Amino acid sequence: MAVTPPVCDFGAELPDFALPDPDGRIHRLSDLRGARGTLVMFICNHCPYVQAILDRLTRDAKALQQLGIGVVAISSNDVAAYPADAPYEMKKISEKQGFTFPYLYDETQEVARAFGAECTPDFFGYNADGKLQYRGRLDASGRAPGPPDARRELYEAMAQIAETGQGPRAQTPSMGCSIKWKDD
């Protein structure tokens, strides 16, 4: 079922975290933050909404890193129910796509809950002070890639944040598959 997250809660604090990559190396937020802002992306491997944007996401993340934005992707799905999202599979996707950012595994789902993540993809763009400024979509893509000339909404918003510290007030929420929560 498609999920649309709530609008941006401007000024919300960037939650701290330390998570492993598929090889077990721990990555701390303090090491991932960028000098001009931080982009935290909740994604997974099996979601058609994520699959539709992987090439664009990889392109835009690399461009944002060049602007001084720290970028990280996190998968929080229940891998017992969705084995395609397991760390071994995350590593394969990361290598195939040529991710220039860490792709981390949130096994306890505590980090997703701390952010209030609801779907994949779900984007959280913070300024250099760690204040939320963007919670919108990558572009007009849905379950299929958008048009080749689709406006790069995430890139433009994060570039604005890098430049001014403020995100655009008009934002279109992301849409995607719900995060696959573990049974309590």
Side-chain angles (χ1 to χ4, degrees), residues 57-166:
L57 182 137
T58 303
R59 171 201 67 194
D60 289 353
K62 186 174 187 177
L64 289 170
Q65 288 171 314
Q66 294 170 350
L67 297 178
I69 300 291
V71 178
V72 60
I74 299 171
S75 179
S76 298
N77 278 355
D78 177 2
V79 299
Y82 293 85
D85 294 333
Y88 174 75
E89 299 296 334
M90 292 169 56
K91 183 175 181 171
K92 290 186 344 189
I93 292 278
S94 178
E95 290 173 351
K96 178 181 177 198
Q97 289 299 131
F99 285 175
T100 56
F101 51 86
Y103 187 14
L104 308 179
Y105 180 48
D106 176 21
E107 182 176 9
T108 66
Q109 302 182 318
E110 290 173 11
V111 173
R113 291 187 194 285
F115 276 83
E118 295 191 14
C119 65
T120 58
D122 204 347
F123 301 101
F124 295 81
Y126 296 85
N127 63 20
D129 295 327
K131 305 292 185 193
L132 186 64
Q133 296 295 312
Y134 189 73
R135 181 139 185 226
R137 65 186 182 178
L138 181 88
D139 63 17
S141 299
R143 290 178 66 93
D149 62 346
R151 189 171 147 242
R152 295 168 68 186
E153 295 170 46
L154 174 68
Y155 174 81
E156 291 172 11
M158 292 305 299
Q160 178 180 325
I161 291 165
E163 184 67 28
T164 69
Q166 300 291 311

